[in-house]
Amino acid sequence: MTAGTDTRIAALRTDPAMSHLHRSLDVYYGDAERDARMDAFYSRFVTKGDLVFDVGSHVGDHIASFRRLGARVVAVEPQPLCLRALRAIYADDDQVTLVEAVCGATPGSTRFHVNSANPTVSTASPDFVRAAEGAGGWEGEVWDADIEVPVVTVDGLITEYGEPTFAKIDVEGFEDEVLAGLTRPLPALSFEFTTIARPVASRCLDRLTALGFDGFDVALGDDKSMTFQRWVSATDMTTHLAALPHDANSGDVYCVSRGRLRQPPPHHDPRRR
């Protein structure tokens, strides 16, 4: 991050129009230890010169990590407020391409449900909104606005920008629709799961297995620490996710096509020789 970027983030933190993003900006920027953990974690998947897709970028902290690792980033985000922040933060970085859209199964448009008070859980999935109603830990969440947004596919992004080494997918219960728009295995990707929408994760694992992905691990919450420390089968991952307590809430499943994976397995610490 440059001094100019830091200045722009500071300005966003005090901009009343960005008030609903102030907490995210405070949490996701300015914590050097968190940045170092993210970079060490993602360095097993991403290296200098790679192309990465960040699907569901929010305020772009993952973009920042991928850029520190030397990757080019195509960032997909539909929310106008988040896009305004991303355009400000990465204004002088020609290695970041912003795509104002949702990723889905087919190109077109869709209704996007905005949670104005908590944009990080805005979603294109009406099922996700229904699943949150009355669920423990989701009290008070309100999706108070709908906007029409463009839909692109991962395949379409590949056609336009090239095949990524890694794709991060974090779209609040729409992950299976994103993967329906991918028809080839990538070296590695991650998708978010939530305990209020476990069937989505099961459909994702079925889809990924059909595409040729054959190794899986999971990190809970925002903790960049793998659970199994080895690649397990989709069946084992499905069983594990089904057994998690409700209050585990969310996490990210990491998926690899081991025949194409360039980097070491999850137990490897890239800082060690």
Side-chain angles (χ1 to χ4, degrees), residues 20-21 58 79 81-82 112-124 128-129 132 138-147 172:
H20 292 313
L21 291 182
H58 191 45
Q79 297 187 73
L81 194 66
C82 293
F112 189 81
H113 311 287
V114 177
N115 186 320
S116 299
N118 189 12
T120 189
V121 295
S122 296
T123 179
F128 184 83
V129 173
W138 292 85
E139 298 86 355
E141 297 293 350
V142 178
W143 288 262
D144 56 328
D146 286 351
I147 58 175
E172 310 307 314

Side-chain angles (χ1 to χ4, degrees), residues 51-261:
L51 173 64
V52 174
F53 289 174
D54 183 4
V55 180
S57 296
H58 191 45
V59 295
D61 60 313
H62 283 75
I63 299 174
S65 180
F66 300 143
R67 289 294 295 123
R68 287 192 296 269
L69 292 170
R72 297 179 295 121
V73 182
V74 173
V76 184
E77 174 59 49
Q79 297 187 73
L81 194 66
C82 293
L83 284 161
R84 178 180 166 187
L86 293 172
R87 289 185 179 115
I89 294 168
Y90 298 101
D92 60 356
D93 192 338
D94 63 3
Q95 298 300 296
V96 176
T97 300
L98 301 180
V99 178
E100 185 173 353
V102 162
C103 268
T106 57
S109 65
T110 193
R111 186 66 62 181
F112 189 81
H113 311 287
V114 177
N115 186 320
S116 299
N118 189 12
T120 189
V121 295
S122 296
T123 179
S125 171
D127 290 340
F128 184 83
V129 173
R130 286 190 288 269
E133 294 176 0
W138 292 85
E139 298 86 355
E141 297 293 350
V142 178
W143 288 262
D144 56 328
D146 286 351
I147 58 175
E148 196 75 13
V149 299
V151 178
V152 299
T153 66
V154 179
D155 276 353
L157 294 174
I158 291 171
T159 297
E160 185 165 358
Y161 301 105
E163 182 179 287
T165 301
F166 180 77
K168 168 230 156 197
I169 304 167
D170 182 350
V171 291
E172 310 307 314
F174 208 62
E175 289 79 9
D176 55 341
E177 291 293 316
V178 175
L179 292 174
L182 174 66
T183 60
R184 70 184 82 182
L186 306 176
L189 62 78
S190 68
F191 70 86
E192 187 191 40
F193 78 91
T194 60
T195 55
I196 64 169
R198 298 182 213 235
V200 173
S202 294
R203 290 193 291 272
C204 288
L205 290 165
D206 288 344
R207 175 66 176 171
L208 290 165
T209 300
L211 290 176
F213 289 83
D214 58 358
F216 305 88
D217 206 339
V218 62
L220 297 180
D222 193 41
D223 181 19
K224 294 296 185 284
S225 176
M226 296 292 201
T227 296
F228 291 97
Q229 300 292 315
R230 57 187 173 85
W231 300 123
V232 302
S233 70
T235 299
D236 288 345
M237 181 56 63
T238 300
T239 300
H240 177 74
L241 296 182
L244 287 172
H246 172 76
D247 60 6
N249 189 46
S250 66
D252 296 287
V253 179
Y254 291 83
C255 319
V256 297
S257 174
R258 281 178 287 190
R260 301 190 61 195
L261 184 65

Side-chain angles (χ1 to χ4, degrees), residues 5-34:
T5 303
D6 291 340
T7 299
R8 290 191 291 271
I9 292 171
L12 291 170
R13 283 172 167 153
T14 59
D15 183 348
M18 306 298 289
S19 60
H20 292 313
L21 291 182
H22 286 172
R23 179 180 179 277
S24 291
L25 291 166
D26 288 342
V27 169
Y28 296 133
Y29 288 100
D31 184 337
E33 290 186 6
R34 180 178 183 274

